[in-house]
């Protein structure tokens, strides 16, 4: 699977900073598969919503992050699933290799926080949160989403 020119262009900004913060770099957040991503009015969180009418699995949001193979990165995330049954942390290399297993879940009404390390295998990594099922409506509030090289 090849990255689009759009993804590569967006990601090139991120390599210069070696860090992504959703509250500071919101223009690089990508809605994935019919999800809608909006910044809350208080500017302290993001809302990710998906309507079941689209019937598409793995909707959510992600970023395209330039990485250096064999370097280690950390994802710091805090989020609360408002509607839906569960969502998972998503982290894959451009060749679809999973870098973080899909066991880090967000379940209803609880704020869950994770600090997860991963080692890059390619020069572009997709990182985000995806919803499990397309037949269910979801709503997720993200209060922290930082990716940085360590």
């Amino acid at each position: 699977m090849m990255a689009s020119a759009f993804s590569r262009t967006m990601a090139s900004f991120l390599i210069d900073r070696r860090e992504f913060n959703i509250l500071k770099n919101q223009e690089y957040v990508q809605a994935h598969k019919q999800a809608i991503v909006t910044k809350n009015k208080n500017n302290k969180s993001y809302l990710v919503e998906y309507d079941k009418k689209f019937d598409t699995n793995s909707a959510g949001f992600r970023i395209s992050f330039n990485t250096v193979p064999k370097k280690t990165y950390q994802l710091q995330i805090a989020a609360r699933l408002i509607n839906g049954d569960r969502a998972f942390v998503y982290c894959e290399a451009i060749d679809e290799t999973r870098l973080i297993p899909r066991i880090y879940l967000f379940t209803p009404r609880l704020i869950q926080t994770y600090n997860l390390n991963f080692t890059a295998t390619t020069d572009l990594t997709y990182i985000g949160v995806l919803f499990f099922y397309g037949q269910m409506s979801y709503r997720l509030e993200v209060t922290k989403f930082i990716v940085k090289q360590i």
Side-chain angles (χ1 to χ4, degrees):
M1 177 189 230
M2 295 295 295
S4 69
F6 178 70
S7 295
R8 293 251 183 221
T9 301
M10 288 178 48
S12 64
F13 164 86
L14 301 174
I15 197 166
D16 295 336
R17 289 194 163 62
R18 297 266 184 218
E19 180 173 309
F20 173 86
N21 183 331
I22 197 169
L23 298 177
K24 295 178 182 174
N25 310 117
Q26 62 272 8
E27 64 272 25
Y28 299 98
V29 175
Q30 303 165 3
H32 188 61
K33 294 187 177 179
Q34 305 296 330
I36 298 170
V37 182
T38 55
K39 193 170 192 178
N40 278 347
K41 292 178 185 176
N42 65 10
N43 290 327
K44 295 183 180 181
S45 66
Y46 267 84
L47 202 56
V48 184
E49 298 176 283
Y50 170 78
D51 190 317
K52 65 183 179 182
K53 71 181 179 186
F54 295 112
D55 197 17
T56 302
N57 290 337
S58 300
F61 81 95
R62 69 181 190 180
I63 63 167
S64 300
F65 195 73
N66 274 348
T67 49
V68 178
K70 299 183 182 176
K71 294 287 184 184
T72 302
Y73 297 82
Q74 183 177 72
L75 168 62
Q76 300 170 10
I77 185 168
R80 175 174 63 109
L81 188 63
I82 299 167
N83 291 15
D85 66 340
R86 53 190 177 135
F88 61 91
V89 173
Y90 163 78
C91 184
E92 285 187 357
I94 193 168
D95 65 3
E96 299 182 358
T97 300
R98 288 186 189 169
L99 303 177
I100 295 176
R102 295 180 177 185
I103 59 173
Y104 300 98
L105 303 177
F106 299 97
T107 54
R109 295 173 288 286
L110 298 173
I111 296 173
Q112 278 127 337
T113 303
Y114 297 109
N115 292 309
L116 305 170
N117 294 345
F118 65 92
T119 301
T121 58
T122 62
D123 66 345
L124 186 66
T125 302
Y126 300 115
I127 309 159
V129 176
L130 301 179
F131 304 125
F132 269 93
Y133 305 109
Q135 302 80 21
M136 181 177 291
S137 292
Y138 289 91
R139 193 169 191 206
L140 177 78
E141 181 182 33
V142 180
T143 54
K144 183 177 187 180
F145 189 89
I146 297 172
V147 180
K148 61 184 175 182
Q149 185 176 330
I150 56 174

